[in-house]
Amino acid sequence: MRVVLIWVLMAGAAWAQDRSGEFDYYVLSLSWSPNWCAYEGDARGSDQCDARHDHGWIMHGLWPQYHRGWPKYCNTAERPPSRAMTRDMADIMGTSGLAWHQWKKHGVCSGLSAPAYYALSRRAYESVVRPPVFRKLDKTVKLPASVVEEAFLQANPGFEKDGVTITCRDGHIQEARICLSRDLHPVPCGQDVVRDCTARDALFTPIR
């Protein structure tokens, strides 16, 4: 009986926490598309990895965040996005499928309608200067993750070190995660976000 009671209390706490529109700040997650294609996308046969797209830093998502933890799959009365809406996000997100998944998991917690969430996501993406140096690579290189962070800080003078974090996966640079207020101003990241990759020889592959 005691175990059941604890489970009910925990479930109730989780429900109370994950209410649409109740969060502290956003994380804008930017993924280096060629790296994602190298360790996952090519095996999936993802259209995102076709060279005709010329993708560099794409938007993985705009995630509502608590100072500790994050909401997901919130209940919302907003209508889901149409196929046209998700298709229109593919230019900055790689595929319409990713745009749909991000709405379903994160957008529903923003308190916004699907059109408003996608519009805010595009504004967030366009507000960040993506360092042009990485588009100039003509071969795969190994570099410290800190070099990628420094490139973002130099390209965006308003950013602070505690507002940008770089992640790695399977030996590659994975993402640049940038913490933004609800009105898209730079803010410090929470403790569970500001955990930089410490690799000194992460792979960084060039645009296809």
Side-chain angles (χ1 to χ4, degrees):
M1 182 65 181
R2 183 179 180 183
V3 173
V4 173
L5 178 59
I6 291 173
W7 182 87
V8 169
L9 290 173
M10 290 177 64
W15 176 86
Q17 189 179 42
D18 292 351
R19 293 180 178 175
S20 185
E22 295 186 5
F23 61 96
D24 298 310
Y25 66 101
Y26 285 110
V27 170
L28 172 65
S29 179
L30 302 177
S31 171
W32 183 251
S33 183
N35 285 355
W36 179 80
C37 292
Y39 61 70
E40 183 173 344
D42 286 339
R44 288 187 180 186
S46 174
D47 181 67
Q48 176 180 321
C49 302
D50 192 295
R52 77 184 190 280
H53 294 306
D54 195 35
H55 286 312
W57 293 104
I58 65 164
M59 188 180 77
H60 181 175
L62 183 67
W63 306 334
Q65 195 85 12
Y66 303 126
H67 292 308
R68 285 182 179 271
W70 55 89
K72 58 185 178 180
Y73 300 112
C74 301
N75 290 325
T76 179
E78 299 293 342
R79 298 178 62 181
S82 67
R83 289 187 178 183
M85 288 181 206
T86 58
R87 184 181 62 243
D88 288 347
M89 293 298 291
D91 63 321
I92 64 171
M93 297 189 75
T95 65
S96 60
L98 177 60
W100 164 252
H101 174 74
Q102 290 300 305
W103 163 258
K104 184 172 63 173
K105 184 174 181 180
H106 300 287
V108 293
C109 296
S110 67
L112 302 173
S113 66
Y117 174 70
Y118 285 145
L120 186 69
S121 296
R122 188 174 290 276
R123 278 179 50 208
Y125 178 81
E126 293 174 348
S127 74
V128 174
V129 177
R130 298 171 298 283
V133 63
F134 299 115
R135 297 190 66 91
K136 298 177 182 179
L137 292 175
D138 58 6
K139 63 181 179 180
T140 298
V141 298
K142 292 184 177 181
L143 45 69
S146 58
V147 169
V148 181
E149 178 179 336
E150 187 59 33
F152 271 91
L153 292 174
Q154 289 186 8
N156 297 272
F159 290 177
E160 300 291 340
K161 287 183 68 68
D162 61 0
V164 179
T165 189
I166 306 300
T167 67
C168 296
R169 178 178 168 187
D170 294 341
H172 292 75
I173 296 294
Q174 180 190 27
E175 294 180 346
R177 296 179 179 175
I178 299 156
C179 297
L180 302 170
S181 67
R182 284 173 173 259
D183 54 359
L184 304 184
H185 294 298
V187 296
C189 298
Q191 292 183 10
D192 55 347
V193 174
V194 61
R195 296 175 182 172
D196 285 319
C197 169
T198 58
R200 300 187 59 81
D201 58 351
L203 293 169
F204 206 106
T205 61
I207 289 176
R208 301 182 171 194

